[in-house]
Amino acid sequence: MDESIIEANAVLEDGLCRVRIRISGDSIESLEKLQDSTTGAVIVFPGFIDVHVHAREYALPSDASENQKAAWEKMTAKESFRTAGRAAINGGVVLYAAMPNDPIPPDNQQTFNLKKSVATTSKCPVILLACITRDSQPWENIPYKLYLDHKSSASSFSYWKDVDTTLARYRGRHVFFHAEDPIILEKYSNLPDRWKSRPPEAERSAVSKILDLTSKHSLKTHICHISTIQAVKLIQDFNSTSSTKVTCEVTPHHLFFSVDDSGVKADGAVVYGNRSFFDCNPPLRSEHDRTSLIEALRDGVIDMVAGDHAPHTIDDKVNGAPGMPQLDTYGAFAAWLVNKRQFSLEQIAQVFSKAPALLLSEYTEGSYGSLREGATASMTFLDLAGKTLVNKQVIADRGPLGTRCAWSPFDGIELPGAVCKVIVNGRLAHASNNFKSPSAQ
């Protein structure tokens, strides 16, 4: 049984405090508040949780066709659970939820359990989502994901009548939604720019319809990667009168990047003429949406940050694949919110730890999201005086990116702060070479 003692500045339920934490096995055995002052830049948070990750690996059935084998090889060349777990820990993530939009969707107990066996190769714990498809049925208390798109696929819906019919079978279940109205996407599909072909009204319309279906079928609804402040307000209005709260998430890229006719802007300033590496679904939005989403997150209207880690290769991106890798820089982005957007440490703990832990609490072993006696001993150490600078395939002074796709949208952008140590279930999972123990500060 592992046992260790950590003395550090930590974010507790009642704020920042100097503490002595004793770890026994995979749990916090005791936590003692100390009288020492909380000096030093290294802060211990309840382990960060990312509720939206695409690991790309899935189990291939023994009777798979040649086409299925080719699709599997293409997907796992981008990311496996092993490499996604490595990238997660590199970014300070101690638990993540894996999305189910695979060529062979995990929409039944057999395919779900096959994928679950593959997920054990991740050194970072994983919660799997099952995929809702037109003929699927719920089979146990697990989170489910429903995709909407105008292009028909094995894992997505193109017609609302099919969505309604299917969700009737998922009454009372926990459903995560990709919220873009396929009817509106089809209407604008001929436009060349992704941010114009998937307009804000597609998200607003989808969220409005999803909220109606939430009431109709008594769903426990979570809206993924919200990107417009108008959609956020729809959720806020719904929650003001509903007895069951709808939760939502926002990604680092929708909080950091924006787009207009001049190109992609990073934090409102630098313009990138080549938009292909920043294409995503839903797309980047206006500068007004970006800054409004930051304030909605600060105010607690948006519940949490989620990466929507999409590990497409550089070749994939050149050819138009949507999405960006986010795991390796997840914790550094939290430090950016502190240092550049004046989020409090308690707010960071809320949106990166506590709210994600609550969302997944029914499906986890142990207790995440807070530092207290009896909780799971998973912690993220942030050095707020450090820096994270991605240079192509490496993080300067740290080492290579963990993700197999080997690039980052933050390439060349210095984020103020760095993940310096990660403890997962009581075990040291990562420590930077230049990291000094908090007790030595």
Side-chain angles (χ1 to χ4, degrees):
M1 179 178 291
D2 289 343
E3 185 173 28
S4 59
I5 298 175
I6 296 168
E7 187 175 312
N9 304 323
V11 183
L12 308 182
E13 292 286 343
D14 55 353
L16 184 66
C17 183
R18 191 78 177 174
V19 299
R20 182 179 294 115
I21 299 172
R22 182 183 295 274
I23 298 173
S24 180
D26 60 1
S27 300
I28 296 176
E29 182 178 79
S30 64
L31 187 150
E32 176 188 1
K33 293 183 179 181
L34 305 177
Q35 298 302 314
D36 303 355
S37 60
T38 54
T39 57
V42 174
I43 309 295
V44 182
F45 291 86
F48 290 169
I49 298 169
D50 191 342
V51 303
H52 196 138
V53 170
H54 298 271
R56 298 301 178 196
E57 186 177 14
Y58 58 97
L60 191 65
S62 58
D63 60 349
S65 67
E66 290 303 314
N67 286 341
Q68 288 174 327
K69 290 178 182 177
W72 180 85
E73 290 173 357
K74 183 178 180 180
M75 294 289 273
T76 54
K78 300 181 183 187
E79 197 84 285
S80 65
F81 275 106
R82 181 182 62 82
T83 59
R86 183 176 65 197
I89 290 170
N90 202 28
V93 174
V94 305
L95 174 72
Y96 65 88
M99 297 297 109
N101 59 331
D102 305 318
I104 302 176
D107 63 348
N108 60 72
Q109 191 166 11
Q110 181 181 11
T111 55
F112 182 84
N113 287 341
L114 284 172
K115 186 171 183 178
K116 196 171 183 179
S117 66
V118 174
T120 59
T121 59
S122 172
K123 290 186 177 180
C124 180
V126 182
I127 301 296
L128 291 185
L129 273 73
C131 192
I132 297 178
T133 58
R134 280 173 286 281
D135 297 321
S136 66
Q137 298 270 0
W139 64 91
E140 63 179 278
N141 183 35
I142 54 177
Y144 296 87
K145 177 74 177 284
L146 188 142
Y147 289 94
L148 294 161
D149 199 4
H150 65 296
K151 295 181 180 179
S152 180
S153 74
S155 58
S156 63
F157 288 78
S158 298
Y159 300 101
W160 286 105
K161 61 180 178 61
D162 294 334
V163 173
D164 188 13
T165 300
T166 301
L167 286 178
R169 302 193 295 270
Y170 285 80
R171 187 173 184 84
R173 300 290 181 168
H174 201 173
V175 181
F176 289 48
F177 286 91
H178 179 115
E180 291 184 285
D181 192 324
I183 308 303
I184 295 176
L185 295 183
E186 178 63 30
K187 177 181 177 181
Y188 292 96
S189 60
N190 62 325
L191 297 179
D193 293 324
R194 187 176 297 269
W195 64 284
K196 293 180 178 178
S197 67
R198 307 178 82 97
E201 64 185 275
E203 181 173 271
R204 293 195 300 268
S205 176
V207 167
S208 179
K209 289 180 172 67
I210 289 166
L211 294 176
D212 288 342
L213 291 167
T214 295
S215 297
K216 182 177 181 179
H217 300 299
S218 300
L219 303 174
K220 294 185 289 184
T221 291
H222 178 75
I223 307 290
C224 297
H225 42 52
I226 205 82
S227 66
T228 64
I229 193 61
Q230 295 92 339
V232 171
K233 290 177 179 177
L234 287 175
I235 297 170
Q236 184 180 27
D237 290 344
F238 178 89
N239 285 335
S240 68
T241 59
S242 174
S243 59
T244 302
K245 181 183 178 182
V246 168
T247 56
C248 63
E249 67 189 45
V250 66
T251 71
H253 44 275
H254 287 111
L255 295 173
F256 194 85
F257 299 102
S258 62
V259 66
D260 59 25
D261 285 323
S262 67
V264 173
K265 297 179 180 179
D267 195 16
V270 182
V271 175
Y272 298 86
N274 183 356
R275 299 190 187 96
S276 64
F277 277 75
F278 299 93
D279 277 345
C280 50
N281 294 338
L284 300 180
R285 301 298 186 188
S286 68
E287 183 65 7
H288 171 71
D289 273 313
R290 183 185 79 88
T291 56
S292 298
L293 291 174
I294 290 174
E295 294 311 309
L297 180 68
R298 187 199 309 277
D299 294 341
V301 180
I302 297 175
D303 298 277
M304 66 198 74
V305 174
D308 192 14
H309 175 75
H312 297 296
T313 65
I314 290 176
D315 286 344
D316 288 332
K317 292 299 296 180
V318 170
N319 291 318
M324 311 176 208
Q326 290 287 349
L327 280 172
D328 285 280
T329 52
Y330 191 76
F333 183 77
W336 176 82
L337 287 172
V338 175
N339 286 318
K340 294 298 185 179
R341 288 295 172 267
Q342 291 74 53
F343 274 59
S344 70
L345 301 179
E346 293 79 10
Q347 287 170 326
I348 294 299
Q350 175 68 28
V351 301
F352 283 85
S353 304
K354 186 175 181 179
L358 181 61
L359 181 71
L360 300 176
S361 61
E362 293 182 60
Y363 321 111
T364 57
E365 295 182 7
S367 177
Y368 292 84
S370 64
L371 298 176
R372 55 178 176 77
E373 291 183 8
T376 300
S378 290
M379 308 169 203
T380 302
F381 293 63
L382 274 190
D383 181 0
L384 297 178
K387 64 180 182 180
T388 298
L389 176 60
V390 178
N391 183 9
K392 298 190 183 303
Q393 299 182 21
V394 302
I395 299 177
D397 302 322
R398 279 270 302 277
L401 294 170
T403 178
R404 180 172 281 174
C405 71
W407 72 279
S408 169
F410 293 103
D411 187 16
I413 299 172
E414 184 176 289
L415 295 172
V419 174
C420 55
K421 184 176 179 180
V422 184
I423 294 175
V424 176
N425 293 349
R427 296 181 179 274
L428 179 65
H430 164 80
S432 296
N433 293 332
N434 57 356
F435 172 66
K436 294 181 180 179
S437 170
S439 60
Q441 293 182 29

